Amino acid sequence: MKGLIIVGSAKIGSHTTALAHFLKGHFEEHDFEAEIFDLAERPIHQLDVSGASNPSEDYKQNLQDLQSKAREADFFVLGTPNYHGSYSGILKNALDHLTMDDFKMKPVGLIGNSGGIVSSEPLSHLRLIVRTLLGIAVPTQIATHDTDYNKLDNGTLYLDNSEFQLRSKLFVDQIISFVKNSPYEHLK
Ligand SMILES: Cc1cc2nc3c(=O)[nH]c(=O)nc-3n(C[C@H](O)[C@H](O)[C@H](O)COP(=O)(O)O)c2cc1C
């Protein structure tokens, strides 16, 4: 079983990516592959159904990779920073490039990080999007704040809050339980 963790921060080395790495480690402890697709490192072009723009080959390749990995994924984690009280436009643009066929009846975990007042509202907004894509947003979600992270000597951020570390384990366990039990397999 393999999952795709899509991170929609504008910043390379974001807090959300640090959380994604923490979760990836837990998935792997359960022998579940979880690949991180960080949209800051691998940007894609804006959705353009008229073909008026001229995206670079790099962007086109990134999009192709995102789409094929999404199609193959057994589950998703969607990660977003809090931007203006909601999820990022970067993540929304990525989701606009995907379809119900990618998400239908697949478990989806939601994670986010705020730099100001900590908020789970971006995740509530994402929950609606996931429902529209026919995915199953699992009940446990993770909404952190910048202060829940610390930096290694090389500047890499890591999750440094024991409560969120525990919650992350429960979050991963819950997604795995949904994947293993596949309650809606027959509806795919
Ligand atoms: C366009 C933009 C809008 C933002 N709006 C909010 C906001 O409404 N509330 C908040 O708490 N932080 C806001 N922030 C701050 C981010 O949440 C903060 O930079 C956070 O560290 C981002 O997480 P990341 O490192 O995972 O990208 C905003 C940042 C940007 C760039």
Side-chain angles (χ1 to χ4, degrees):
M1 294 289 180
K2 62 182 168 198
L4 188 61
I5 307 178
I6 304 175
V7 176
S9 175
K11 190 168 59 185
I12 291 176
S14 66
H15 299 83
T16 312
T17 300
L19 178 54
H21 278 286
F22 191 84
L23 297 172
K24 179 180 164 70
H26 277 297
F27 280 116
E28 285 169 356
E29 279 175 22
H30 291 273
D31 291 327
F32 271 58
E33 201 183 307
E35 184 172 349
I36 298 173
F37 199 104
D38 187 338
L39 290 158
E41 284 177 14
R42 304 199 60 194
I44 60 170
H45 52 86
Q46 201 169 311
L47 184 68
D48 170 19
V49 289
S50 318
S53 59
N54 189 15
S56 72
E57 288 306 313
D58 280 358
Y59 277 36
K60 283 199 268 190
Q61 186 60 53
N62 289 343
L63 176 60
Q64 234 176 55
D65 289 350
L66 175 69
Q67 287 173 323
S68 63
K69 288 172 195 297
R71 192 56 59 97
E72 287 165 17
D74 298 301
F75 63 92
F76 290 90
V77 173
L78 302 181
T80 184
N82 179 355
Y83 284 175
H84 300 322
S86 192
Y87 52 83
S88 71
I90 295 166
L91 180 61
K92 181 62 163 65
N93 179 53
L95 295 175
D96 289 345
H97 282 278
L98 302 176
T99 72
M100 289 175 183
D101 289 335
D102 300 310
F103 282 90
K104 195 172 181 186
M105 298 301 150
K106 294 181 186 174
V108 183
L110 305 174
I111 62 170
N113 179 68
S114 302
I117 297 170
V118 70
S119 170
S120 60
E121 255 190 313
L123 306 186
S124 301
H125 299 171
L126 265 180
R127 208 165 270 281
L128 296 177
I129 310 294
V130 172
R131 190 199 69 77
T132 310
L133 284 166
L134 306 179
I136 304 167
V138 302
T140 301
Q141 58 187 25
I142 309 175
T144 58
H145 185 264
D146 285 5
T147 51
D148 298 316
Y149 298 81
N150 223 323
K151 271 186 186 169
L152 298 172
D153 289 343
N154 67 6
T156 307
L157 286 166
Y158 66 94
L159 184 64
D160 189 27
N161 175 309
S162 57
E163 277 182 37
F164 278 116
Q165 287 171 352
L166 179 61
R167 193 176 179 81
S168 297
K169 291 180 188 175
L170 296 174
F171 175 86
V172 166
D173 287 352
Q174 197 167 79
I175 293 172
I176 287 177
S177 165
F178 270 89
V179 174
K180 281 187 176 163
N181 292 305
S182 293
Y184 303 109
E185 188 67 33
H186 61 293
L187 295 177
K188 276 186 182 172

